[in-house]
Amino acid sequence: MSHHQDSAAAKQDPRLDISDVYLFRGRTGTVFVMNTNPVSADKGFHPEALYEFHIDTDDDAVQDLTFRFRFLATEPDGRQGWVLDRLAGAEAADRNASGALVATGRTQEIVTTSDGVNVFVGRAGDPFYLDGTVVTAVLTALRNGAAVDLAAFDPQRASNLFAGTNVTAIVLEVPDELIGSGTIGVWATTALDDHHGGWLQINRCATPLVSTLFDVTEAGFDDYNATDPRDDLANYGDLVRRKVAGLVSANDTHSDPEGYGAATRDVIFPDVLRYQVGTEADFGAKARNGRGLTESAPEAMFEIVLNAPVPMGLDAGHATGMLRAVFPYLSAPA
């Protein structure tokens, strides 16, 4: 839940709120996960919205391939039908393009296509784990350019703020030959029909905790979720550089705060998850390759912005449920 309710529209309708994106090697291909509806997973998916995985194959932060989900109205039993389309080339960035049909199905069921695409859409346990005291200390320090004060944190009492909570998940496993080899950049979006022939992008998510750590939607940047990764450096790069420089200066964790702030800006933006297709995912402070379901993403992000480790005293065992070894990989809902 690293990207929780970070826009006004997402706060108003949690169905459009993307909490986390994961990208890793599965048993048969590359796995894309978009978790939505944090804490309120019984609300399902918006029938007038698009839920999209965008894939950049040439490192320009522009989508070359998009997998797009559309949902039907909720049925009396609470389930929903869905349609998955694949859009390539110029169509990948065109929300009015029809694309090519990949699969159809209903929530809470696994669908496997003839060419090996696996799809699951439905409720699942939230794999994200975070200690509230630690994140508050880091956020306060980053916001104020001050020392990180962990006096209130007792590692022996560390607890997952989101233990026992569920999300509505979209899990897509795609054979590598349908994506290509090499390194890809991935981000997810939700967009709502404006009923005038267009779409309003409501939320976007890739790197965990970016909007939370840097207040990009609270510091005069209300359009962050409506923008695209290719514009991140120009729009928000200076904000991140200044905040990180102030943090490492106050904590004396780097000899060149301004230089470290600039380097961190270039690590975080453009906000996409980069992943070498066919390899094991690992999201850490020193290196990142996609994002698996078990890494401590908050600790990695804290160390990136502070240039020093900030342990939370938690591991994947504190997350909700037990992850599955086979598709759809996420745990059953709590």
Side-chain angles (χ1 to χ4, degrees):
M1 205 166 293
S2 66
H3 195 265
H4 186 190
Q5 294 187 340
D6 68 328
S7 72
K11 291 175 182 176
Q12 293 171 5
D13 194 330
R15 294 176 296 177
L16 303 171
D17 186 8
I18 307 172
S19 58
D20 283 282
V21 173
Y22 299 88
L23 176 63
F24 56 92
R25 179 69 183 171
R27 292 172 67 93
T28 64
T30 299
V31 180
F32 304 82
V33 178
M34 181 194 314
N35 286 342
T36 66
N37 243 333
V39 185
S40 51
D42 58 331
K43 296 185 181 297
F45 297 89
H46 200 303
E48 296 184 347
L50 303 176
Y51 295 74
E52 302 167 308
F53 292 108
H54 303 283
I55 304 171
D56 167 29
T57 61
D58 55 8
D59 199 29
D60 62 356
V62 175
Q63 58 269 63
D64 302 292
L65 178 65
T66 294
F67 288 98
R68 175 178 301 163
F69 285 83
R70 295 174 284 127
F71 291 89
L72 305 181
T74 303
E75 300 169 9
D77 63 0
R79 296 172 69 184
Q80 290 177 267
W82 52 261
V83 177
L84 168 62
D85 296 312
R86 180 183 186 273
L87 302 98
E91 285 194 340
D94 182 358
R95 290 195 166 107
N96 288 315
S98 56
L101 177 66
V102 175
T104 62
R106 297 174 73 224
T107 53
Q108 301 304 138
E109 68 182 21
I110 293 174
V111 171
T112 300
T113 69
S114 59
D115 54 0
V117 174
N118 294 320
V119 185
F120 170 81
V121 180
R123 297 172 70 245
D126 191 345
F128 187 71
Y129 52 97
L130 173 74
D131 182 89
T133 302
V134 175
V135 71
T136 298
V138 175
L139 286 175
T140 300
L142 189 56
R143 186 175 297 120
N144 299 326
V148 177
D149 182 4
L150 292 171
F153 175 57
D154 180 358
Q156 300 303 314
R157 293 188 169 185
S159 62
N160 178 15
L161 191 62
F162 304 113
T165 63
N166 296 322
V167 291
T168 44
I170 298 175
V171 187
L172 172 66
E173 184 168 22
V174 181
D176 295 343
E177 57 266 26
L178 300 183
I179 302 172
S181 58
T183 299
I184 59 175
V186 173
W187 67 101
T189 60
T190 55
L192 190 63
D193 189 346
D194 69 1
H195 297 287
H196 296 288
W199 298 88
L200 300 174
Q201 185 169 294
I202 303 300
N203 224 208
R204 69 171 165 113
C205 180
T207 307
L209 289 168
V210 168
S211 60
T212 300
L213 287 171
F214 297 108
D215 292 334
V216 289
T217 58
E218 301 294 336
F221 300 110
D222 292 335
D223 64 344
Y224 178 79
N225 283 288
T227 59
D228 298 313
R230 63 177 177 268
D231 299 319
D232 284 342
L233 278 170
N235 289 342
Y236 315 109
D238 192 58
L239 171 72
V240 168
R241 181 195 59 77
R242 287 186 287 104
K243 282 181 172 286
V244 171
L247 181 69
V248 297
S249 178
N251 288 271
D252 195 25
T253 55
H254 200 280
S255 60
D256 179 11
E258 291 296 328
Y260 187 76
T264 302
R265 170 201 65 199
D266 295 340
V267 165
I268 291 174
F269 292 139
D271 184 9
V272 302
L273 283 177
R274 291 187 173 89
Y275 172 66
Q276 173 65 50
V277 173
T279 66
E280 293 300 314
D282 182 33
F283 190 93
K286 303 304 181 185
R288 288 152 301 284
N289 182 43
R291 180 184 174 190
L293 295 172
T294 60
E295 300 106 331
S296 180
E299 287 185 345
M301 293 301 294
F302 298 160
E303 185 170 347
I304 288 169
V305 299
L306 182 62
N307 194 39
V310 186
M312 296 190 301
L314 302 175
D315 58 29
H318 292 86
T320 301
M322 183 175 294
L323 296 176
R324 288 174 271 206
V326 297
F327 189 87
Y329 306 108
L330 296 176
S331 69

